[in-house]
Amino acid sequence: MPPTLEIHQFVPSLAPRDAVGQHSLALQEFLRSLGVESQIFADEIKPGMEGKALPFNTFRGRSNTNRYLIYQASTNSPIAEFLSNRPEKKLVNFHNITPSAMLLPWEFGAGLAMAMADHQVGKFSHHSTLAFTVSKYNEGALRTLGYKATAVAAPFIELGETHSRKPRKVSNGASWLFVGRVFPNKAQMQLVAALACYRRIYDSTATLTLVGSFGSKAYHEAILTYAKSLGLEDAVFFSGQVTDEELLRLYRDADLFTCASRHEGFCFPLIEAMRNSLPVVAYSSSAIPETLGAGGVLVENDDPVSFAGAAHMLLDDVKLQGRTAKGAATQLERYSLQRARLEHHRVLRTVIEDLPDLKEETGP
Amino acid sequence: MTDKISDSKNPSSAADSAAKAARDFQREMQDRIAAEVDKRRGEGKYPPSFEAKLRTVYEGLLPKGSTKDSKDLSHLMYMVDRTAFMDIDVPLASNKPGVSKLKTVLRKLMAWYLNYLLQQLTNFHANLLQLLHAYDLRMQRIERRLTEFNSEAPALPVVLTDDAVGTILSHLGGPEGRILVTSCTSSSLLSQLDANGYDAYGIDTDTSRLDALASKGTDARFDAPYEHVAGLKKSALQAVILQGTFELLSTADKVALLKMLKTSLVKGGKLIVLGRPVASDLEGDLRIAVDLAPGRLFASETWQYLLSRNGYSCVAQVAAVEGGLFIVGAVGGEE
């Protein structure tokens, strides 16, 4: 009798409400649903995740031809070296690394960590049988890092019920929303500039709410000073981290989701905005175009006036909102749980031939 | 559900067609955004001084090491100096009993090895630092010689006669496509292009004169030639009129600008250079601007030579204008 198929995951940090952690748990559930033995090992197991993972250095076992190890590569971690010395076949599930140049002037330590992570993940390419990731943009980054065998599979996103809203024209008191930690690559300062342009000619009472943890004190202070210099101190709000319920309320109360981020490996908040039928305007960078599709308006020109113009176009045009809603529906289907299962199965099958067949599903 | 099942069986073709539809949609959006922005700028809703403030305040808030300012380089050099030399004096303190002594012993045991490694590293860093400082000095010397815009220099005026404007308009042909005019506050050319139905916009760095132009409904923006052209998309312009400050850029910057403009022009797009001959009898502001400039004025022949060498065709002097100006025309754009 052949040994049981085992596919274990190694995660630098398993934390609640963290995209990598949620993805790893969903992948584990999927693998287990196929009858595969699957465990998560982590370097850091944050409060609330106890019992869902084991410390990575407790991983034992002799070499087993039917055991595969997946490294959830998202940052610099001792797991990389640990796995390099393991005899099993290794797969890399890549979550992208923010370019250090974007962070170094603001947050030297974080920038350095990203540079080290880049180096480490690149070095790990020699040990990888297959590297898979959630976007073509990320796949390009993997190729640059030296990975030869790469693939793309939709991320596991637990999408709740889609919240529909009737398209509506907003010409007064528009409420802009952005969700993402306060960090230089998220470019909240560019959103403040765009809001200044928008308020100047379209809607003098528009506001911007920035949701997310304060990852960089220096950048947070720069945003505050910038807003004050432009007379927007009463129009830009920071909510910090919020609960799931509060976040849902913010998505549903806002008029427009705005994203000026300069680097995203995927951008989950865009999916969340589309799920809440919130019109979206986003700067066209990194993986944002493929995540957004036609579910919102992209701004290719790095110019706050263009961003403000796009925001006005969308908020002023009910028909256009209807078109982006259709585009959003396509994207939500593209990123459904069913699609993620199918694509992960297809990708893993390319190297794990005895991966059991996918059970026929009848719904998304 | 049937559709979803068929999509699932052939996910790549469904994804491909969705991606194509999305690309088409976004292309349409970019055109609409550009039209909206042009309209608002054309209405004077965004005075150039407002956009200049957005940019200058933003740049003022950037941390050291992320701007083009040479002071930034000095700061980074200082940081490199501070961190280049290393020691093996690892902290030995510990709250746990006996650990401090253990660390002391370990450090002593490893010192012979770590010191050897560290000495090599330090030697390398010292050499590297010396090299960096040598480069820094040379860079400072070059920067002093080649400051692109000397803030103390007056703007270079361009006085155009009606005949000269007529020559430029006839060389441009019909009012088709977008036209860029550099140093647009230096002459009346932008307003005259507007009056003749051309889709023209201008750039300059003099905010008060830009605001005055924009208040009359002219699309005039705060930007420097090199930076503006670097941000343009391929084939974005039907024609470009270079006038004013560009003449005083360094030779390397002039050549770089010509190369970038060739890509920014549509195939067959026109470049018009408004230049003035090298003259020893320059007076007033013109004399001061030229004396303070990093580059010198080029003769018509020199412009024609540079344009031809950089891939432009139909290069010729179109006219010599009263007041010493000459007009050189060329055709650019790429396949």
Side-chain angles (χ1 to χ4, degrees):
Chain A
M1 192 178 162
T4 314
L5 177 62
E6 294 176 33
I7 305 175
H8 302 301
Q9 297 181 74
F10 288 75
V11 190
S13 174
L14 193 70
R17 302 183 67 200
D18 167 70
V20 178
Q22 294 308 310
H23 172 81
S24 307
L25 288 168
L27 180 57
Q28 181 189 41
E29 190 188 324
F30 166 66
L31 291 169
R32 285 177 173 174
S33 74
L34 295 175
V36 176
E37 198 179 317
S38 182
Q39 182 61 262
I40 294 177
F41 296 88
D43 182 24
E44 273 186 314
I45 302 167
K46 299 277 187 186
M49 296 308 246
E50 302 90 347
K52 296 193 172 167
L54 296 167
F56 79 93
N57 47 17
T58 62
F59 178 74
R60 297 283 181 273
R62 286 169 301 179
S63 169
N64 179 337
T65 51
N66 225 13
R67 182 188 294 135
Y68 297 83
L69 309 180
I70 297 177
Y71 176 34
Q72 297 289 349
S74 58
T75 184
N76 197 32
S77 166
I79 287 177
E81 199 195 338
F82 176 82
L83 289 179
S84 304
N85 295 317
R86 292 294 314 176
E88 292 90 349
K89 278 194 174 174
K90 269 87 66 178
L91 287 79
V92 172
N93 195 173
F94 180 60
H95 298 273
N96 210 292
I97 294 161
T98 307
S100 55
M102 284 187 181
L103 307 182
L104 278 170
W106 293 94
E107 294 294 332
F108 187 76
L112 203 59
M114 289 300 111
M116 286 162 74
D118 211 46
H119 173 75
Q120 193 184 59
V121 175
K123 215 167 124 189
F124 198 78
S125 64
H126 306 293
H127 305 283
S128 165
T129 306
L130 173 75
F132 58 103
T133 184
V134 293
S135 63
K136 283 182 184 164
Y137 174 79
N138 280 358
E139 190 182 28
L142 276 170
R143 295 268 173 178
T144 308
L145 286 168
Y147 287 81
K148 300 277 189 287
T150 59
V152 177
F156 286 99
I157 309 170
E158 283 288 357
L159 286 177
E161 200 179 316
T162 302
H163 173 77
S164 65
R165 79 161 78 191
K166 214 175 163 189
R168 59 174 185 249
K169 188 171 169 163
V170 183
S171 49
N172 191 30
S175 160
W176 291 18
L177 174 71
F178 174 66
V179 180
R181 71 176 176 152
V182 179
F183 222 56
N185 66 303
K186 301 289 180 188
Q188 285 95 339
M189 281 177 85
Q190 272 74 6
L191 284 183
V192 171
L195 182 74
C197 296
Y198 185 78
R199 280 169 59 103
R200 183 177 178 87
I201 67 166
Y202 299 116
D203 176 0
S204 61
T205 54
T207 59
L208 167 66
T209 302
L210 300 169
V211 180
S213 61
F214 299 103
S216 166
K217 189 169 175 274
Y219 192 61
H220 178 215
E221 281 171 5
I223 301 169
L224 284 172
T225 311
Y226 195 37
K228 198 175 173 192
S229 306
L230 301 175
L232 298 175
E233 60 268 52
D234 297 327
V236 177
F237 307 109
F238 289 89
S239 70
Q241 268 190 313
V242 296
T243 63
D244 287 346
E245 293 72 29
E246 284 168 333
L247 187 60
L248 194 64
R249 186 183 55 75
L250 285 162
Y251 273 115
R252 292 187 180 173
D253 288 351
D255 296 309
L256 182 72
F257 187 84
T258 53
C259 173
S261 180
R262 267 38 184 174
H263 184 263
E264 297 289 340
F266 184 76
C267 201
F268 288 92
L270 290 178
I271 299 290
E272 212 37 44
M274 289 191 277
R275 189 173 75 76
N276 284 290
S277 307
L278 185 58
V280 177
V281 172
Y283 177 61
S284 176
S285 79
S286 49
I288 288 173
E290 55 182 301
T291 304
L292 188 62
V297 174
L298 287 172
V299 183
E300 287 179 2
N301 197 341
D302 178 15
D303 165 16
V305 173
S306 295
F307 201 100
H312 167 70
M313 257 168 53
L314 192 52
L315 286 174
D316 190 56
D317 186 342
V318 172
K319 274 189 190 163
L320 182 57
Q321 287 179 32
R323 288 176 70 190
T324 58
K326 276 186 191 161
T330 305
Q331 290 308 98
L332 292 175
E333 157 58 17
R334 164 81 188 84
Y335 294 112
S336 68
L337 215 48
Q338 182 193 20
R339 185 60 63 81
R341 287 193 189 108
L342 275 168
E343 292 188 6
H344 275 86
H345 188 267
R346 177 177 50 79
V347 164
L348 294 175
R349 208 34 153 348
T350 58
V351 287
I352 309 171
E353 286 170 7
D354 48 352
L355 187 73
D357 286 338
L358 198 59
K359 286 165 194 156
E360 196 66 45
E361 296 196 39
T362 53
Chain B
M1 194 60 231
T2 317
D3 284 341
K4 285 179 184 170
I5 289 168
S6 61
D7 281 356
S8 304
K9 283 183 178 166
N10 194 359
S12 62
S13 71
D16 287 349
S17 65
K20 188 188 173 300
R23 276 197 303 276
D24 291 346
F25 172 76
Q26 296 300 354
R27 214 168 291 137
E28 180 197 333
M29 290 301 105
Q30 300 322 301
D31 291 343
R32 282 183 62 177
I33 293 168
E36 171 68 16
V37 169
D38 288 347
K39 180 182 148 200
R40 301 299 179 177
R41 280 201 176 114
E43 290 168 356
K45 294 283 173 63
Y46 290 116
S49 58
F50 169 75
E51 291 190 55
K53 186 183 175 189
L54 285 180
R55 194 192 295 186
T56 48
V57 174
Y58 174 78
E59 285 174 357
L61 290 167
L62 293 177
K64 285 179 177 172
S66 59
T67 72
K68 292 176 217 154
D69 197 325
S70 56
K71 282 178 195 157
D72 256 14
L73 200 63
S74 308
H75 172 77
L76 289 177
M77 284 297 300
Y78 168 71
M79 296 302 287
V80 172
D81 281 349
R82 269 187 52 189
T83 52
F85 298 99
M86 304 169 186
D87 58 53
I88 62 159
D89 297 334
V90 190
L92 301 172
S94 174
N95 293 328
K96 292 177 185 167
V99 174
S100 184
K101 278 190 178 170
L102 181 67
K103 282 183 177 175
T104 310
V105 173
L106 282 174
R107 192 170 82 174
K108 276 184 184 165
L109 284 173
M110 288 193 292
W112 66 274
Y113 171 70
L114 290 177
N115 265 328
Y116 179 76
L117 289 180
L118 219 57
Q119 191 56 52
Q120 291 177 79
L121 264 180
T122 304
N123 289 347
F124 172 69
H125 284 171
N127 287 326
L128 197 63
L129 266 184
Q130 218 178 336
L131 180 70
L132 277 177
H133 279 287
Y135 274 124
D136 186 34
L137 277 175
R138 288 181 184 206
M139 187 76 83
Q140 283 179 32
R141 253 182 256 157
I142 292 168
E143 278 186 348
R144 269 199 299 274
R145 278 185 217 155
L146 299 175
T147 308
E148 188 179 348
F149 292 107
N150 191 322
S151 56
E152 290 167 18
L156 204 57
V158 182
V159 182
L160 287 174
T161 60
D162 289 346
D163 278 356
V165 174
T167 306
I168 292 166
L169 293 185
S170 77
H171 190 73
L172 282 173
E176 285 163 17
R178 200 107 173 92
I179 299 174
L180 165 68
V181 180
T182 65
S183 296
C184 63
T185 68
S186 304
S187 77
S188 60
L189 190 56
L190 185 58
S191 305
Q192 302 207 44
L193 286 169
D194 266 356
N196 282 281
Y198 286 85
D199 177 16
Y201 74 104
I203 53 167
D204 208 309
T205 51
D206 184 329
T207 49
S208 57
R209 292 167 75 174
L210 276 169
D211 279 358
L213 254 185
S215 68
K216 293 175 194 157
T218 303
D219 185 353
R221 307 173 192 178
F222 175 82
D223 223 338
Y226 193 89
E227 285 179 352
H228 182 78
V229 174
L232 288 175
K233 279 189 204 161
K234 193 181 172 192
S235 307
L237 300 168
Q238 180 68 38
V240 177
I241 299 169
L242 289 177
Q243 62 166 10
T245 318
F246 88 97
E247 280 195 274
L248 302 176
L249 294 174
S250 67
T251 304
D253 282 344
K254 279 176 189 158
V255 172
L257 190 63
L258 293 183
K259 282 183 176 163
M260 288 193 297
L261 277 174
K262 190 164 173 287
T263 313
S264 307
L265 284 165
V266 296
K267 190 168 179 282
K270 288 180 179 171
L271 175 69
I272 295 175
V273 176
L274 293 185
R276 71 194 80 221
V278 187
S280 56
D281 55 350
L282 299 175
E283 288 176 351
D285 279 359
L286 191 53
R287 170 88 271 162
I288 299 167
V290 170
D291 283 350
L292 293 175
R296 59 183 184 279
L297 301 173
F298 283 171
S300 171
E301 293 83 350
T302 314
W303 278 116
Q304 291 176 56
Y305 171 79
L306 279 179
L307 286 163
S308 299
R309 271 187 65 95
N310 284 286
Y312 288 84
S313 57
C314 308
V315 180
Q317 178 168 309
V318 176
V321 184
E322 194 186 327
L325 282 174
F326 58 80
I327 304 169
V328 170
V331 171
E334 290 177 343
E335 289 293 344

